[in-house]
Amino acid sequence: MKKLATGIMSLTLALSLLAGCSPSKTETGGAASGGESAQKPELRMLGFQKSNFDPNTDPVAKFLEEKTGYKVKYETLPVENPDDKLNLLIANKEPYDILKLSASQYNRLASQGALEPLDDLLKKYGPTLLTSTPQDAYDNAKVDGKIYGIPEKHPRAFVGNELVIRQGLLDELGAKVPATIDEFYDLLKLIKEKKNIIPLTGSQVQSVIYEIAGAFGISSPFDDETGSIRHRLDDPGMKEYLAFMNKLYKEGLIDSEWPVNKAATAKEKFTSGKAAIMETDFASPPTLVAGLNKVYPDSKLAFIPSLKGKDGKTENWIQGGGVSWYIAIPKASKNKEEAMKYLNLKIQPATFKELAIGQEGVHYKKDEKGAMSPILPKFTEERNNSDWFMTSTDAKAYEEMWLVRVRKDPLVASSFEEMQKQAPVSRKDPTLLAPPMEVVANNLQKLTKMETDYIIKVMAGAESLSGYDNFVQQFKSQGGSDMLKALQDWYAKSKK
């Protein structure tokens, strides 16, 4: 929302609280505080686990109680086997009032009839919830035509990964950042010949490096190149990508231990100087530079953007922009209406902004262009865990608010901005806003592992590329065809 609208909302809410009055129930779905607070039941919320984090003692919990008048008891799932614990709690009809669920958890519980349909509750007590999140996100949340969970939209779409190399190494070699797949190949050869270190490293879960695969037209797990949903295995460019990676492996231009490397192992090889290039996300450069500085003081990273193919084109993957979490009210709740009122109070623009990034001049500041950045350490101390407490977002406004979190570290911020230069040549996965589907939930994890294992084996020469078509058929016979059909049926309807 515009600054003026946000300011008016903040002032209106503040004045109503000072006057001992409640905001309109049409706006908020319930009273904010004051005389009714004693009548409000204590609510119970169950969310995901975060290490060394007790939500009940976090400053955000106190802030929300003051703003909404609701006391909430917060609980978290365990790090180990969270789904097993969740299933047990639901089976025992534990009377939680609010659940923050992953897509697979949401789909399973909704299909089992364990969640309350929210359509009527949203209309009666959640008007702001309905307008703060785009309709396509709510369409995504429908199971058999009904909404069982409020979609918490991902903050924004972004390019999240890029290849990096130590700038000092480029300088030593008299080389420049490669722009094409051929220049990249020549750089790898030069590194091996001149420095005798691993040119490119990776880990066992990194099967498709989009900065490389984009040169062959592979930009996301699914695409709509043909007007319908297609898995990347059906893209002819995938075989070309695998042939290229296998060539690099045979010539000693990528890490021979790639198939067994853990992510931490690959990172250690890079920071110790044993390997020259690796793929990183935008949040990791501070730890990479800190590690490099122990061996190469004052290190700087050079980013290698998505490589151009033989035709001069390239692609990369736009991540995010879908639904991160689903906020549900279980059938076992004894406070369904109050839970919805509370959720609607949290999403009032001024309240949500203070929940997300705190107060201007205390937790964040603005520069002359209006860009917001955190005030440290206050922001970290009092808003570092605010994402855990979110139960939907003021979606449009949060796109900019989220960047405050990115800007907690200058190197993270600059890395993020550098990666966004690839956005014009990057594509979204067309299944991003597909609703939770049982056939997808039951097959995606298994099939993704199956595909990753196969690609890594082909890269390392343990599987021959001549068997590619047979593997694709096996992939489809073990659930891939059913998954693709479900996604295609949804996609065809969504375009009407």
Side-chain angles (χ1 to χ4, degrees):
M1 295 185 65
K2 294 181 180 179
K3 296 177 189 174
L4 179 60
T6 303
I8 292 172
M9 180 62 76
S10 301
L11 180 60
T12 302
L13 183 59
L15 290 174
S16 66
L17 289 171
L18 287 171
C21 300
S22 299
S24 163
K25 289 192 178 185
T26 302
E27 294 178 355
T28 67
S33 62
E36 291 188 32
S37 62
Q39 302 172 16
K40 293 179 179 179
E42 180 175 281
L43 303 176
R44 291 178 69 190
M45 175 176 164
L46 179 66
F48 61 91
Q49 177 65 56
K50 290 185 74 170
S51 298
N52 302 316
F53 169 62
D54 178 4
N56 294 290
T57 61
D58 194 272
V60 174
K62 181 179 179 182
F63 161 75
L64 287 172
E65 183 175 351
E66 292 173 349
K67 283 294 183 181
T68 68
Y70 282 93
K71 173 72 175 177
V72 181
K73 180 181 179 182
Y74 299 102
E75 299 173 41
T76 61
L77 289 168
V79 175
E80 298 293 330
N81 304 313
D83 287 357
D84 292 343
K85 180 66 173 178
L86 176 63
N87 291 340
L88 180 62
L89 291 168
I90 297 301
N92 289 338
K93 294 183 169 54
E94 194 69 25
Y96 289 104
D97 300 301
I98 301 165
L99 303 174
K100 185 162 183 169
L101 304 170
S102 68
S104 61
Q105 291 168 342
Y106 170 63
N107 183 71
R108 183 173 65 254
L109 295 182
S111 300
Q112 291 172 356
L115 305 179
E116 182 73 12
L118 301 183
D119 301 78
D120 292 340
L121 286 171
L122 280 164
K123 288 177 184 176
K124 191 170 184 180
Y125 301 111
T128 312
L129 285 164
L130 286 172
T131 57
S132 63
T133 296
Q135 183 59 45
D136 57 5
Y138 274 102
D139 292 340
N140 163 282
K142 290 181 179 179
V143 177
D144 296 329
K146 293 184 177 181
I147 297 170
Y148 291 89
I150 299 162
E152 183 184 321
K153 194 172 181 293
H154 189 278
R156 63 189 294 143
F158 59 86
V159 179
N161 296 77
E162 203 155 309
L163 294 168
V164 288
I165 184 172
R166 184 169 58 86
Q167 180 64 53
L169 178 58
L170 282 178
D171 296 339
E172 292 169 26
L173 294 169
K176 62 179 183 179
V177 172
T180 69
I181 198 73
D182 289 337
E183 290 176 359
F184 181 67
Y185 174 72
D186 290 341
L187 176 60
L188 296 181
K189 287 205 304 182
L190 183 64
I191 291 168
K192 182 183 178 185
E193 292 167 4
K194 299 295 185 181
K195 306 301 293 185
N196 195 30
I197 60 174
I198 301 166
L200 172 66
T201 189
S203 71
Q204 57 190 225
V205 297
Q206 291 178 293
S207 58
V208 179
I209 308 297
Y210 287 109
E211 296 75 46
I212 302 173
F216 304 99
I218 305 297
S219 59
S220 65
F222 298 91
D223 67 43
D224 62 348
E225 190 81 23
T226 60
S228 60
I229 295 295
R230 178 179 68 176
H231 192 273
R232 62 188 176 192
L233 288 173
D234 285 324
D235 190 317
M238 180 59 91
K239 288 180 75 171
E240 297 176 39
Y241 165 73
L242 288 178
F244 178 74
M245 296 299 285
N246 178 245
K247 175 184 176 181
L248 298 185
Y249 191 90
K250 287 178 178 177
E251 295 181 15
L253 301 180
I254 63 177
D255 194 343
S256 63
E257 296 178 333
W258 190 310
V260 297
N261 280 346
K262 302 291 186 185
T265 309
K267 185 179 290 188
E268 188 279 329
K269 289 181 178 181
F270 178 80
T271 56
S272 65
K274 297 174 184 175
I277 300 171
M278 68 173 288
E279 185 188 49
T280 185
D281 57 70
F282 69 84
S284 295
T287 59
L288 295 180
V289 170
L292 284 169
N293 282 340
K294 295 176 182 178
V295 185
Y296 308 100
D298 302 319
S299 289
K300 293 183 179 179
L301 296 175
F303 289 84
I304 302 174
S306 303
L307 301 162
K308 295 178 182 178
K310 302 288 186 182
D311 58 1
K313 296 180 180 179
T314 186
E315 295 179 2
N316 205 326
W317 182 20
I318 288 278
Q319 303 173 34
V323 175
S324 300
W325 303 96
Y326 298 84
I327 314 306
I329 297 175
K331 281 281 182 74
S333 169
K334 299 176 181 177
N335 305 296
K336 297 181 179 68
E337 293 184 356
E338 295 295 332
M340 183 60 72
K341 292 177 184 179
Y342 170 67
L343 295 173
N344 198 64
L345 282 168
K346 289 174 66 179
I347 205 64
Q348 301 308 305
T351 300
F352 177 77
K353 185 173 184 179
E354 194 168 347
L355 155 65
I357 59 174
Q359 299 175 359
E360 184 174 0
V362 178
H363 302 96
Y364 73 92
K365 58 187 176 183
K366 294 181 180 178
D367 64 16
E368 62 279 1
K369 295 181 180 179
M372 298 177 289
S373 59
I375 297 174
L376 302 176
K378 195 71 170 178
F379 182 89
T380 302
E381 292 170 352
E382 298 189 355
R383 288 298 182 272
N384 207 46
N385 297 305
S386 59
D387 61 318
W388 191 94
F389 293 89
M390 290 180 188
T391 46
S392 186
T393 65
D394 186 356
K396 186 63 178 176
Y398 192 47
E399 288 186 14
E400 291 302 313
M401 293 182 208
W402 180 74
L403 293 176
V404 177
R405 311 187 75 80
V406 174
R407 293 169 182 148
K408 288 190 294 182
D409 184 287
L411 187 50
V412 171
S414 63
S415 299
F416 180 84
E417 293 301 325
E418 181 66 30
M419 291 181 187
Q420 302 327 297
K421 294 177 182 178
Q422 297 302 297
V425 296
S426 301
R427 298 170 60 179
K428 291 183 181 179
D429 185 328
T431 68
L432 193 65
L433 283 172
M437 303 175 190
E438 188 173 0
V439 67
V440 176
N442 290 342
N443 288 291
L444 185 59
Q445 185 175 1
K446 172 191 70 177
L447 291 171
T448 300
K449 185 179 187 308
M450 181 179 172
E451 181 196 27
T452 298
D453 291 346
Y454 175 76
I455 290 173
I456 294 291
K457 288 178 181 177
V458 172
M459 284 170 51
E463 290 271 4
S464 171
L465 197 53
S466 62
Y468 185 85
D469 292 341
N470 288 335
F471 170 75
V472 173
Q473 290 305 312
Q474 182 184 4
F475 178 91
K476 291 182 176 180
S477 68
Q478 294 192 23
S481 290
D482 294 338
M483 181 177 70
L484 286 165
K485 182 181 185 304
L487 289 169
Q488 177 53 37
D489 289 348
W490 160 78
Y491 192 59
K493 291 177 182 176
S494 72
K495 295 197 298 182
K496 291 181 180 179

